[in-house]
Short mmCIF file of all heavy atoms in Angstrom, two decimals:
data_model
loop_
_atom_site.label_atom_id
_atom_site.label_comp_id
_atom_site.label_asym_id
_atom_site.label_seq_id
_atom_site.Cartn_x
_atom_site.Cartn_y
_atom_site.Cartn_z
N ILE A 1 26.09 106.79 29.14
CA ILE A 1 26.22 106.47 27.71
C ILE A 1 24.86 106.15 27.07
O ILE A 1 24.74 106.11 25.86
CB ILE A 1 27.24 105.33 27.47
CG1 ILE A 1 26.87 104.07 28.24
CG2 ILE A 1 28.65 105.80 27.81
CD1 ILE A 1 27.70 102.85 27.88
N ALA A 2 23.85 105.93 27.91
CA ALA A 2 22.49 105.71 27.41
C ALA A 2 21.52 105.96 28.56
O ALA A 2 21.88 105.81 29.73
CB ALA A 2 22.32 104.29 26.89
N HIS A 3 20.29 106.35 28.21
CA HIS A 3 19.27 106.57 29.23
C HIS A 3 17.88 106.39 28.64
O HIS A 3 17.69 106.46 27.43
CB HIS A 3 19.41 107.97 29.87
CG HIS A 3 19.23 109.09 28.89
ND1 HIS A 3 17.99 109.51 28.46
CD2 HIS A 3 20.14 109.86 28.26
CE1 HIS A 3 18.14 110.51 27.60
NE2 HIS A 3 19.44 110.73 27.46
N SER A 4 16.91 106.15 29.51
CA SER A 4 15.52 106.00 29.09
C SER A 4 14.92 107.37 28.80
O SER A 4 15.44 108.39 29.25
CB SER A 4 14.73 105.31 30.20
OG SER A 4 14.72 106.15 31.37
N GLU A 5 13.84 107.35 28.07
CA GLU A 5 13.06 108.58 27.89
C GLU A 5 12.21 108.83 29.13
O GLU A 5 11.99 109.95 29.54
CB GLU A 5 12.17 108.48 26.65
CG GLU A 5 12.93 108.52 25.34
CD GLU A 5 13.76 109.78 25.17
OE1 GLU A 5 13.24 110.88 25.39
OE2 GLU A 5 14.96 109.66 24.83
N LYS A 6 11.74 107.72 29.73
CA LYS A 6 10.87 107.79 30.90
C LYS A 6 11.62 108.39 32.08
O LYS A 6 12.79 108.10 32.31
CB LYS A 6 10.38 106.37 31.25
CG LYS A 6 9.45 106.28 32.44
CD LYS A 6 8.02 106.51 32.04
CE LYS A 6 7.11 106.31 33.25
NZ LYS A 6 6.06 107.28 33.33
N LYS A 7 10.92 109.24 32.82
CA LYS A 7 11.52 109.90 33.99
C LYS A 7 10.99 109.25 35.28
O LYS A 7 9.91 108.66 35.30
CB LYS A 7 11.17 111.39 34.00
CG LYS A 7 11.67 112.16 32.79
CD LYS A 7 13.15 112.45 32.89
CE LYS A 7 13.63 113.23 31.70
NZ LYS A 7 14.36 114.41 32.02
N ALA A 8 11.79 109.39 36.33
CA ALA A 8 11.41 108.91 37.66
C ALA A 8 11.85 109.95 38.68
O ALA A 8 12.73 110.77 38.40
CB ALA A 8 12.06 107.56 37.95
N ALA A 9 11.24 109.90 39.86
CA ALA A 9 11.60 110.82 40.93
C ALA A 9 11.24 110.20 42.27
O ALA A 9 10.36 109.34 42.34
CB ALA A 9 10.86 112.15 40.76
N LEU A 10 11.93 110.62 43.31
CA LEU A 10 11.61 110.15 44.66
C LEU A 10 10.36 110.87 45.16
O LEU A 10 10.22 112.09 44.98
CB LEU A 10 12.78 110.42 45.60
CG LEU A 10 14.09 109.72 45.25
CD1 LEU A 10 15.18 110.08 46.25
CD2 LEU A 10 13.90 108.21 45.19
N ALA A 11 9.49 110.14 45.80
CA ALA A 11 8.20 110.68 46.25
C ALA A 11 8.36 111.91 47.14
O ALA A 11 7.57 112.85 47.06
CB ALA A 11 7.41 109.60 46.98
N ASN A 12 9.38 111.90 48.01
CA ASN A 12 9.56 113.00 48.95
C ASN A 12 10.64 113.99 48.53
O ASN A 12 11.11 114.77 49.34
CB ASN A 12 9.88 112.45 50.34
CG ASN A 12 8.74 111.61 50.88
OD1 ASN A 12 7.58 111.97 50.73
ND2 ASN A 12 9.06 110.48 51.47
N GLY A 13 11.04 113.94 47.27
CA GLY A 13 12.11 114.81 46.81
C GLY A 13 13.47 114.24 47.21
O GLY A 13 13.56 113.12 47.71
N GLU A 14 14.53 115.00 46.97
CA GLU A 14 15.89 114.53 47.26
C GLU A 14 16.52 115.38 48.35
O GLU A 14 16.10 116.51 48.59
CB GLU A 14 16.76 114.61 46.00
CG GLU A 14 16.36 113.62 44.94
CD GLU A 14 17.26 113.63 43.72
OE1 GLU A 14 18.43 114.08 43.80
OE2 GLU A 14 16.80 113.16 42.66
N GLY A 15 17.55 114.82 48.96
CA GLY A 15 18.35 115.55 49.93
C GLY A 15 19.80 115.45 49.51
O GLY A 15 20.14 114.75 48.57
N CYS A 16 20.67 116.18 50.20
CA CYS A 16 22.07 116.20 49.81
C CYS A 16 22.91 116.59 51.02
O CYS A 16 22.54 117.48 51.79
CB CYS A 16 22.26 117.22 48.68
SG CYS A 16 23.95 117.36 48.11
N LEU A 17 24.07 115.92 51.18
CA LEU A 17 24.98 116.24 52.27
C LEU A 17 25.42 117.70 52.24
O LEU A 17 25.69 118.30 53.27
CB LEU A 17 26.23 115.36 52.18
CG LEU A 17 26.06 113.87 52.42
CD1 LEU A 17 27.36 113.14 52.10
CD2 LEU A 17 25.63 113.60 53.84
N SER A 18 25.50 118.27 51.04
CA SER A 18 26.03 119.62 50.87
C SER A 18 24.97 120.71 50.93
O SER A 18 25.30 121.89 50.77
CB SER A 18 26.79 119.73 49.54
OG SER A 18 27.94 118.91 49.57
N ILE A 19 23.72 120.33 51.12
CA ILE A 19 22.64 121.33 51.11
C ILE A 19 21.85 121.22 52.41
O ILE A 19 21.20 120.20 52.67
CB ILE A 19 21.73 121.14 49.88
CG1 ILE A 19 22.56 121.33 48.61
CG2 ILE A 19 20.56 122.12 49.93
CD1 ILE A 19 21.84 120.99 47.34
N ARG A 20 21.93 122.25 53.20
CA ARG A 20 21.22 122.24 54.49
C ARG A 20 19.86 122.92 54.40
O ARG A 20 18.99 122.70 55.22
CB ARG A 20 22.07 122.91 55.58
CG ARG A 20 23.44 122.26 55.77
CD ARG A 20 23.40 121.08 56.74
NE ARG A 20 24.57 120.21 56.64
CZ ARG A 20 25.70 120.37 57.30
NH1 ARG A 20 25.85 121.39 58.11
NH2 ARG A 20 26.69 119.52 57.14
N ASP A 21 19.67 123.80 53.38
CA ASP A 21 18.38 124.48 53.19
C ASP A 21 17.35 123.50 52.63
O ASP A 21 17.71 122.54 51.96
CB ASP A 21 18.51 125.65 52.21
CG ASP A 21 19.47 126.71 52.70
OD1 ASP A 21 19.73 126.78 53.92
OD2 ASP A 21 19.99 127.47 51.86
N GLU A 22 16.08 123.77 52.89
CA GLU A 22 15.00 122.95 52.34
C GLU A 22 14.77 123.34 50.88
O GLU A 22 14.70 124.52 50.54
CB GLU A 22 13.70 123.19 53.12
CG GLU A 22 13.68 122.51 54.48
CD GLU A 22 13.63 121.00 54.39
OE1 GLU A 22 12.88 120.45 53.56
OE2 GLU A 22 14.36 120.35 55.16
N HIS A 23 14.68 122.34 50.02
CA HIS A 23 14.33 122.53 48.60
C HIS A 23 13.34 121.44 48.27
O HIS A 23 13.72 120.36 47.82
CB HIS A 23 15.57 122.43 47.70
CG HIS A 23 16.55 123.52 47.89
ND1 HIS A 23 16.42 124.76 47.28
CD2 HIS A 23 17.67 123.59 48.64
CE1 HIS A 23 17.44 125.53 47.64
NE2 HIS A 23 18.20 124.84 48.47
N GLU A 24 12.06 121.73 48.53
CA GLU A 24 11.04 120.71 48.33
C GLU A 24 10.56 120.68 46.89
O GLU A 24 10.46 121.71 46.24
CB GLU A 24 9.86 120.97 49.28
CG GLU A 24 10.24 120.76 50.73
CD GLU A 24 9.03 120.83 51.66
OE1 GLU A 24 7.91 121.08 51.19
OE2 GLU A 24 9.24 120.61 52.86
N GLY A 25 10.27 119.45 46.44
CA GLY A 25 9.71 119.29 45.10
C GLY A 25 10.22 118.04 44.43
O GLY A 25 11.14 117.38 44.90
N ILE A 26 9.59 117.73 43.30
CA ILE A 26 9.94 116.57 42.50
C ILE A 26 11.22 116.89 41.71
O ILE A 26 11.34 117.96 41.12
CB ILE A 26 8.78 116.24 41.52
CG1 ILE A 26 7.54 115.79 42.29
CG2 ILE A 26 9.19 115.21 40.48
CD1 ILE A 26 7.65 114.45 42.98
N VAL A 27 12.16 115.93 41.72
CA VAL A 27 13.42 116.07 40.98
C VAL A 27 13.39 115.03 39.86
O VAL A 27 13.75 113.87 40.08
CB VAL A 27 14.64 115.86 41.91
CG1 VAL A 27 15.93 116.02 41.13
CG2 VAL A 27 14.59 116.81 43.09
N PRO A 28 12.92 115.41 38.67
CA PRO A 28 12.81 114.43 37.59
C PRO A 28 14.18 113.99 37.07
O PRO A 28 15.05 114.82 36.82
CB PRO A 28 12.01 115.16 36.49
CG PRO A 28 12.11 116.60 36.81
CD PRO A 28 12.47 116.74 38.25
N ARG A 29 14.35 112.67 36.95
CA ARG A 29 15.60 112.09 36.43
C ARG A 29 15.24 110.94 35.50
O ARG A 29 14.10 110.48 35.49
CB ARG A 29 16.45 111.58 37.59
CG ARG A 29 16.87 112.70 38.55
CD ARG A 29 17.94 112.21 39.48
NE ARG A 29 18.38 113.22 40.43
CZ ARG A 29 19.33 114.12 40.19
NH1 ARG A 29 19.93 114.16 39.03
NH2 ARG A 29 19.68 114.99 41.12
N TYR A 30 16.21 110.45 34.75
CA TYR A 30 15.96 109.30 33.90
C TYR A 30 15.67 108.08 34.77
O TYR A 30 16.36 107.85 35.76
CB TYR A 30 17.16 109.00 32.99
CG TYR A 30 17.53 110.15 32.10
CD1 TYR A 30 18.78 110.75 32.20
CD2 TYR A 30 16.63 110.65 31.16
CE1 TYR A 30 19.13 111.82 31.38
CE2 TYR A 30 16.96 111.73 30.35
CZ TYR A 30 18.21 112.30 30.46
OH TYR A 30 18.54 113.36 29.66
N GLN A 31 14.67 107.30 34.38
CA GLN A 31 14.32 106.11 35.15
C GLN A 31 15.39 105.02 35.02
O GLN A 31 15.63 104.26 35.96
CB GLN A 31 12.97 105.55 34.69
CG GLN A 31 12.51 104.39 35.55
CD GLN A 31 11.17 103.82 35.10
OE1 GLN A 31 10.51 104.38 34.23
NE2 GLN A 31 10.78 102.71 35.69
N ARG A 32 16.06 104.98 33.87
CA ARG A 32 17.14 104.00 33.64
C ARG A 32 18.34 104.72 33.03
O ARG A 32 18.15 105.58 32.16
CB ARG A 32 16.69 102.90 32.67
CG ARG A 32 15.59 102.04 33.19
CD ARG A 32 15.10 101.08 32.09
NE ARG A 32 14.00 100.27 32.56
CZ ARG A 32 14.14 99.05 33.06
NH1 ARG A 32 15.33 98.51 33.15
NH2 ARG A 32 13.10 98.37 33.48
N VAL A 33 19.53 104.34 33.47
CA VAL A 33 20.75 104.88 32.87
C VAL A 33 21.77 103.76 32.69
O VAL A 33 21.79 102.79 33.45
CB VAL A 33 21.39 106.02 33.71
CG1 VAL A 33 20.53 107.27 33.70
CG2 VAL A 33 21.71 105.58 35.12
N ARG A 34 22.61 103.93 31.68
CA ARG A 34 23.77 103.05 31.50
C ARG A 34 25.00 103.94 31.65
O ARG A 34 25.09 105.00 31.02
CB ARG A 34 23.74 102.38 30.13
CG ARG A 34 24.83 101.32 30.01
CD ARG A 34 24.78 100.56 28.69
NE ARG A 34 23.45 100.05 28.43
CZ ARG A 34 22.84 100.12 27.23
NH1 ARG A 34 23.45 100.66 26.21
NH2 ARG A 34 21.65 99.63 27.08
N ILE A 35 25.91 103.51 32.51
CA ILE A 35 27.10 104.30 32.86
C ILE A 35 28.35 103.53 32.43
O ILE A 35 28.42 102.32 32.61
CB ILE A 35 27.18 104.49 34.40
CG1 ILE A 35 25.95 105.19 34.94
CG2 ILE A 35 28.45 105.20 34.81
CD1 ILE A 35 25.91 106.65 34.74
N LYS A 36 29.30 104.28 31.91
CA LYS A 36 30.63 103.71 31.67
C LYS A 36 31.57 104.42 32.63
O LYS A 36 31.53 105.66 32.73
CB LYS A 36 31.05 103.93 30.22
CG LYS A 36 32.28 103.17 29.82
CD LYS A 36 32.52 103.31 28.33
CE LYS A 36 33.36 102.14 27.88
NZ LYS A 36 33.40 102.02 26.44
N ALA A 37 32.40 103.65 33.35
CA ALA A 37 33.29 104.23 34.35
C ALA A 37 34.38 103.22 34.70
O ALA A 37 34.29 102.05 34.35
CB ALA A 37 32.51 104.60 35.62
N TYR A 38 35.36 103.70 35.44
CA TYR A 38 36.34 102.80 36.05
C TYR A 38 35.86 102.56 37.47
O TYR A 38 35.63 103.52 38.22
CB TYR A 38 37.73 103.46 36.06
CG TYR A 38 38.79 102.56 36.66
CD1 TYR A 38 39.44 101.60 35.88
CD2 TYR A 38 39.13 102.65 38.01
CE1 TYR A 38 40.40 100.77 36.44
CE2 TYR A 38 40.09 101.83 38.57
CZ TYR A 38 40.73 100.88 37.77
OH TYR A 38 41.67 100.06 38.32
N ASP A 39 35.66 101.28 37.83
CA ASP A 39 35.21 100.94 39.18
C ASP A 39 36.43 100.50 39.98
O ASP A 39 37.04 99.47 39.68
CB ASP A 39 34.16 99.84 39.14
CG ASP A 39 33.56 99.54 40.52
OD1 ASP A 39 34.01 100.16 41.52
OD2 ASP A 39 32.66 98.71 40.61
N LEU A 40 36.77 101.30 40.98
CA LEU A 40 37.94 101.01 41.81
C LEU A 40 37.80 99.68 42.56
O LEU A 40 38.77 98.99 42.79
CB LEU A 40 38.19 102.16 42.80
CG LEU A 40 39.46 102.08 43.63
CD1 LEU A 40 40.71 102.04 42.75
CD2 LEU A 40 39.54 103.25 44.60
#
């Protein structure tokens, strides 16, 4: 519902349970986010 303009990324890139291939590089994302959700 809201996010910063500033971006952040993990130094070594990201990984994923569903991706076995290598995909190296910076993954820019919002440094801050506000989320609305139902928390079980």
